[in-house]
Amino acid sequence: MYCVRNVTEDLYWVGANDHRLHLFENIHPIPRGVSYNAYLLLDEKTVLFDTVDWSACRQLLENVEHLLGERPLDYLVINHMEPDHGASIEEILLRWPQVKVISTEKSFLFMRQFGFQIDGHALIEVKEGDTQTFGKHTVTFVAAPMVHWPEAMVTFDTTNGVLFSADAFGSFGALDGKLFADEVNFDRDWIDDARRYLTNIVGKYGPHIQLLLKKAGTILDQIKYICPLHGPVWRKDLGYFIDKYDKWSRYEPEEKGVMIAYASMYGNTEAAAQALAAKLCEKGVTNVWVYDVSNTHVSYLVSESFRLSHIVLASVTYNLGIYPVMHDYLMHLKGLNLQNRTFALIENGSWAPKSGDLMQKFVDEELKNMTVLNDRLSIASSLHADKAAELESLADSIVESMQ
Ligand SMILES: Cc1cc2nc3c(=O)[nH]c(=O)nc-3n(C[C@H](O)[C@H](O)[C@H](O)COP(=O)(O)O)c2cc1C
Ligand SMILES: [Fe+2]
Ligand SMILES: [Fe+2]
């Protein structure tokens, strides 16, 4: 059965929802599923904007065939050819061999690399600023390198103000009927998945997102709709989401708050983390979030690290090193380029505590623009009352640094 929704006048969502995939990119859990968005414009010419993952191809075809009826498909615009969007290109070419494919030079190169059979079809290579008219609608192509792959572009329809934003402004989470961000309680039900999507998928490329935001800024008053490749379409309160993207891509925290990430085998480091959390709350800082790195998927840890201003790392020493799962989390922060946070450290060791120095070294040498507070809490196996003053002063210095 086809499943389409009207976006505006002659533009339709023809994508699909996926609740079967457990791990996006085979790494990030998506308990709420994900959507692969594609859009069909029925102008004098018919235009499909992007395709879907291979697993959703059949749904895309039913949707497109339903809306086209007897009409041919004239154009296929590929903003981003990564397989979660581009895998169905070949199938579209098989069904509509006369379709003209519009994309970037690098995108066509990648399609060939992936083995998509595109040669022999009409291929239109576009670059920054090129335009194309489909009848009433004229679109402009804007390069968006590294948002999320180097071949990516976005397309702006100057006629109706629709920005096809590729992976930018996307989110994890299946739509399940609700196409528009204003049909859900986004700030309550979606923002965490949107942040987890952006920070984990494109977090590393903040400056590239900034570049795209700058370009969008010059036509901000003309953008009426943002149609991303995942998650809801924006037609109201665009500023809310653009502002979030701006913060995330500048690596500025969204909130003053403390994330306490602990690594503990027998619960003693965990107890210290809890004691610190309680102390912070007692001192009036209640935006405190405690995570066990061993049972929290790192994509959530990354997302929370982008949200909050302060991060406490509490780790046991493990074979003279940082606990491996904690180290993995730190490696993710490095890989995703997180900056501008204040850290505090808690170390634990029973015979040769090393995790404090090693975490300090990691934050100092591997991460950018970070501050590490001086008051480190060092625990010998378990936290005793004799360290109450040190705990107090660690909490104080965190609170003070939040002023
Ligand atoms: C496999 C393993 C390796 C450890 N290696 C070290 C070490 O190199 N140096 C050290 O001081 N403590 C080491 N410890 C002890 C822990 O760091 C820690 O002090 C103890 O497990 C209590 O913390 P917890 O209750 O939070 O797990 C090790 C423990 C285990 C199980
Ligand atoms: Fe992508
Ligand atoms: Fe994607």
Side-chain angles (χ1 to χ4, degrees):
M1 179 60 188
Y2 62 82
C3 176
V4 302
R5 278 202 64 185
N6 185 223
V7 178
T8 177
E9 286 162 65
D10 44 6
L11 181 69
Y12 296 82
W13 177 83
V14 292
N17 292 296
D18 188 348
H19 281 285
R20 291 193 171 201
L21 187 71
H22 286 257
L23 296 174
F24 190 82
E25 292 184 351
N26 209 13
I27 178 169
H28 311 294
I30 41 169
R32 296 176 57 247
V34 69
S35 75
Y36 312 112
N37 300 338
Y39 304 90
L40 185 68
L41 179 69
L42 300 177
D43 198 352
E44 281 164 34
K45 299 291 180 188
T46 62
V47 189
L48 178 61
F49 292 90
D50 294 291
T51 74
V52 297
D53 188 72
W54 180 243
S55 61
C57 183
R58 191 182 144 86
Q59 186 66 58
L60 170 76
L61 294 172
E62 279 196 64
N63 294 345
V64 172
E65 278 164 2
H66 163 68
L67 287 171
L68 285 180
E70 297 301 309
R71 300 186 67 183
L73 181 64
D74 298 309
Y75 289 93
L76 171 61
V77 174
I78 297 296
N79 287 299
H80 183 28
M81 64 66 62
E82 189 173 4
D84 59 331
H85 310 290
S88 302
I89 292 172
E90 217 173 9
E91 193 61 31
I92 296 290
L93 292 176
L94 283 171
R95 308 249 169 165
W96 292 279
Q98 303 307 318
V99 70
K100 298 182 179 71
V101 188
I102 299 177
S103 202
T104 62
E105 180 187 9
K106 210 165 240 156
S107 174
F108 288 126
L109 175 84
F110 286 0
M111 288 181 207
R112 292 186 186 98
Q113 267 179 212
F114 274 91
F116 301 173
Q117 303 291 314
I118 55 167
D119 292 311
H121 294 272
L123 307 179
I124 303 174
E125 201 178 287
V126 292
K127 51 185 187 334
E128 175 89 11
D130 286 356
T131 62
Q132 180 85 38
T133 299
F134 302 121
K136 265 189 356 198
H137 294 261
T138 297
V139 301
T140 305
F141 305 104
V142 180
M146 299 323 296
V147 184
H148 144 229
W149 277 17
E151 94 301 355
M153 65 174 188
V154 301
T155 301
F156 183 61
D157 185 331
T158 51
T159 309
N160 59 6
V162 170
L163 176 65
F164 297 96
S165 63
D167 270 346
F169 303 108
S171 177
F172 292 142
L175 296 169
D176 300 343
K178 301 163 296 263
L179 176 64
F180 298 100
D182 55 89
E183 293 176 329
V184 300
N185 189 334
F186 197 89
D187 202 52
R188 187 190 66 193
D189 300 333
W190 280 80
I191 189 67
D192 289 338
D193 262 337
R195 182 188 308 103
R196 195 163 58 87
Y197 163 84
L198 182 273
T199 57
N200 283 280
I201 305 289
V202 208
K204 182 177 173 57
Y205 303 110
H208 295 83
I209 297 171
Q210 279 293 313
L211 213 65
L212 183 61
L213 287 176
K214 215 179 219 166
K215 289 184 194 175
T218 62
I219 52 156
L220 210 52
D221 53 324
Q222 298 168 51
I223 301 175
K224 304 290 176 230
Y225 294 79
I226 297 178
C227 292
L229 289 176
H230 304 282
V233 167
W234 291 81
R235 63 181 173 187
K236 284 184 190 161
D237 208 6
L238 273 54
Y240 160 86
F241 206 37
I242 292 173
D243 184 55
K244 293 285 186 196
Y245 258 70
D246 184 45
K247 278 216 170 71
W248 296 331
S249 58
R250 280 189 295 112
Y251 306 106
E252 294 299 333
E254 273 168 86
E255 298 169 25
K256 274 195 178 171
V258 185
M259 167 183 183
I260 304 178
Y262 70 82
S264 178
M265 288 165 284
Y266 301 111
N268 295 289
T269 312
E270 176 182 7
Q274 290 291 351
L276 177 64
K279 272 271 169 270
L280 289 168
C281 291
E282 216 167 66
K283 292 174 188 295
V285 174
T286 51
N287 196 14
V288 174
W289 303 81
V290 178
Y291 295 99
D292 179 348
V293 296
S294 292
N295 68 21
T296 309
H297 189 274
V298 69
S299 67
Y300 292 87
L301 299 175
V302 164
S303 183
E304 287 296 80
S305 308
F306 271 74
R307 180 169 70 97
L308 298 163
S309 59
H310 286 61
I311 301 171
V312 179
L313 305 173
S315 178
V316 292
T317 303
Y318 196 85
N319 295 329
L320 296 180
I322 302 171
Y323 192 66
V325 191
M326 178 65 87
H327 188 254
D328 180 64
Y329 157 54
L330 291 173
M331 289 296 288
H332 280 258
L333 293 188
K334 177 186 173 182
L336 294 167
N337 210 12
L338 183 72
Q339 303 171 35
N340 310 320
R341 297 298 185 275
T342 301
F343 281 84
L345 304 176
I346 298 177
E347 72 171 351
N348 194 351
S350 294
W351 56 89
K354 288 268 180 273
S355 53
D357 282 349
L358 291 170
M359 291 191 292
Q360 172 100 41
K361 189 171 151 66
F362 194 102
V363 174
D364 284 345
E365 293 177 10
E366 307 289 339
L367 305 181
K368 292 181 212 152
N369 301 328
M370 302 299 195
T371 306
V372 183
L373 299 176
N374 284 330
D375 308 65
R376 181 194 302 175
L377 183 61
S378 190
I379 303 167
S381 297
S382 73
L383 188 61
H384 297 279
D386 63 331
K387 295 257 168 147
E390 279 181 48
L391 179 70
E392 190 83 31
S393 106
L394 178 64
D396 280 337
S397 78
I398 292 172
V399 172
E400 196 180 306
S401 74
M402 292 181 84
Q403 304 310 318

